[in-house]
Amino acid sequence: MTLAPAPIGLAVPFLDLPAQSAEIAHEVLPAWEALLREGAFVGGSPVAAFEREYAEYIGTRHAIGVSNGTDALELALRAVGVRAGDEVIVPANSFIATAAAASRIGAMPVFVDVDDEHLLIDPDAVDAAITSRTRAIAPVHLFGQSAPLERLLPIARRHDLAIVEDAAQAQGAVGSAGRAGAVGHIAATSFYPGKNLGAAGDAGAVTTSDDTLAETVRSLQSHGSTTKYVHDRIGVNARLDAVQAVVLRAKLRRLDAWNTARRAAASTYAELLGDLDGVRLPATRSGSSDVWHLYVVRLAERDRVAAALGEAGIGVGVHYPTPLHLTGAYAHLGHRRGEFPVAEAAADRILSLPMGPHLTRPQQVAVAEALRAAVGE
Ligand SMILES: *Cc1c(COP(=O)(O)O)cnc(C)c1O
């Protein structure tokens, strides 16, 4: 069986998922066919194999495949002991799931600002936000960078707090404290199709080297049970299914090569856009190897430029247009514009350009030309 060629769509798609599918189809389709014949759809050998391979890749003792990244975050927070009424420190600019996972437990997300250079959680702001109710810090490895764990670890140790990494955008990223997903007490990741390691639907994982935390997550994700029909706690159903594990195994084998291609594409953008006045390019933290989940530039009149690029056939995005403290979902916390000035200023200026392992140089040249025209140079 072969896959039909990708349909002709945008001149430069934001992310070329059909190209990823084309690379793995010859491995995935026979494995899916075997699954259909066997009927072991939940759990089973593809899930166990993927969990082993992913733990080895990240460098943790355990990886627990789960239903999606948001569930992974919630289970990780619950495993480290976050309970209703506790506070969890979260950067003001992230995908809403980082905060929502805490809210789902009845805990309160406490937002902090980010640093202007990398838009990553600001360790000084974390330090200042700690109260007697703080239970955990949830740094986000945003855009494929690694958050400053080397500075957060001593703060967490001093206050006896857990670090729950949100590694949804950083599969394969390495910071000076180690590999994203292996540095904190526990980490959550998402395999939403658009992530660097993406499934063919929703999926996620929790990684940790702590045996007790791993056992707790495993129980929580499967109705509070590790032995069938023995329920020691009230859990949820948040399992990874075998259909997704097959895809994830095939893509994991290619992840390093795909991340290398993303790094090359980031260098090409730097070369093509470096002289463009008024467009601020992303920078890598020293000692880090980023995996460029997103390539985020900052510029004035973002909405006008984004519309112009869209008209030129360039797929763009904004990650994310509203800082979490100003979303309707968190209006009840009573935050005001001006509280987190770096995150707020960034939200008005950020623009994510096409990025992915199959992005070609001619496509990037087309992006650069369209951007140059849009900013009027
Ligand atoms: C994608 C993402 C999530 C949520 O993952 P889902 O699988 O969509 O639930 C959480 N945090 C960040 C930073 C993400 O990018």
Side-chain angles (χ1 to χ4, degrees):
M1 232 193 292
T2 54
L3 279 189
I8 308 298
L10 286 171
V12 184
F14 182 65
L15 172 68
D16 193 348
L17 279 180
Q20 294 186 18
S21 301
E23 269 197 56
I24 60 166
H26 67 282
E27 287 174 29
V28 166
L29 295 176
W32 272 355
E33 198 173 346
L35 267 184
L36 281 175
R37 289 186 203 290
E38 290 157 16
F41 299 123
V42 173
S45 65
V47 171
F50 173 69
E51 288 179 336
R52 255 192 329 272
E53 290 158 3
Y54 195 66
E56 191 183 330
Y57 179 79
I58 293 297
T60 48
R61 285 170 56 82
H62 307 278
I64 299 110
V66 302
S67 37
N68 58 64
T70 310
D71 287 346
L73 278 163
E74 180 184 339
L75 297 182
L77 289 167
R78 285 177 65 174
V80 299
V82 173
R83 301 279 174 267
D86 290 345
E87 293 178 358
V88 178
I89 298 177
V90 172
N93 72 324
S94 180
F95 183 56
I96 194 163
T98 321
S103 300
R104 269 168 40 169
I105 304 172
M108 182 159 98
V110 171
F111 299 117
V112 295
D113 212 348
V114 292
D115 78 285
D116 182 56
E117 184 88 10
H118 304 283
L119 305 179
L120 293 167
I121 192 167
D122 175 354
D124 294 327
V126 169
D127 215 353
I130 292 169
T131 73
S132 58
R133 284 199 294 271
T134 310
R135 188 72 210 96
I137 307 167
V140 180
H141 301 291
L142 201 67
F143 307 153
Q145 308 175 89
S146 45
L149 271 297
E150 71 285 350
R151 292 200 48 210
L152 293 173
L153 286 169
I155 295 171
R157 214 172 294 126
R158 203 167 338 115
H159 296 275
D160 194 23
L161 304 176
I163 291 191
V164 178
E165 297 171 69
D166 181 340
Q169 300 190 359
Q171 292 108 4
V174 185
S176 52
R179 194 174 269 257
V183 179
H185 298 87
I186 193 165
T189 199
S190 164
F191 304 127
Y192 178 78
K195 309 295 188 189
N196 287 41
L197 177 60
D202 280 310
V206 174
T207 52
T208 182
S209 289
D210 183 309
D211 296 347
T212 310
L213 293 181
E215 179 74 13
T216 305
V217 170
R218 223 175 250 298
S219 159
L220 285 172
Q221 77 157 171
S222 191
H223 305 293
S225 164
T226 47
T227 308
K228 203 167 192 182
Y229 303 132
V230 179
H231 305 281
D232 301 316
R233 48 163 69 84
I234 300 169
V236 296
N237 175 359
R239 292 180 298 236
L240 176 66
D241 65 68
V243 172
Q244 300 309 333
V246 163
V247 174
L248 291 168
R249 292 188 74 196
K251 287 195 181 178
L252 181 58
R253 282 195 275 279
R254 292 159 175 86
L255 183 57
D256 280 340
W258 285 358
N259 282 341
T260 299
R262 285 173 181 270
R263 277 186 211 108
S267 303
T268 300
Y269 272 139
E271 170 206 326
L272 295 172
L273 303 173
D275 66 333
L276 204 49
D277 279 341
V279 177
R280 183 172 171 183
L281 302 186
T284 296
R285 290 203 316 132
S286 72
S288 290
S289 174
D290 295 350
V291 292
W292 299 97
H293 173 60
L294 296 169
Y295 190 88
V296 179
V297 299
R298 278 179 271 182
L299 37 72
E301 296 187 76
R302 188 267 321 283
D303 292 340
R304 184 187 60 75
V305 172
L309 287 171
E311 268 161 39
I314 312 290
V316 294
V318 176
H319 302 88
Y320 298 92
T322 310
L324 297 178
H325 65 291
L326 299 178
T327 58
Y330 287 107
H332 61 280
L333 297 182
H335 288 292
R336 292 274 168 273
R337 185 167 280 280
E339 279 186 68
F340 305 113
V342 180
E344 290 166 20
D348 294 335
R349 300 175 67 87
I350 46 176
L351 181 68
S352 307
L353 301 182
M355 173 48 81
H358 299 90
L359 189 64
T360 65
R361 186 176 175 96
Q363 286 179 320
Q364 292 190 272
V365 169
V367 173
E369 279 172 5
L371 186 57
R372 207 172 281 276
V375 300
E377 240 194 53

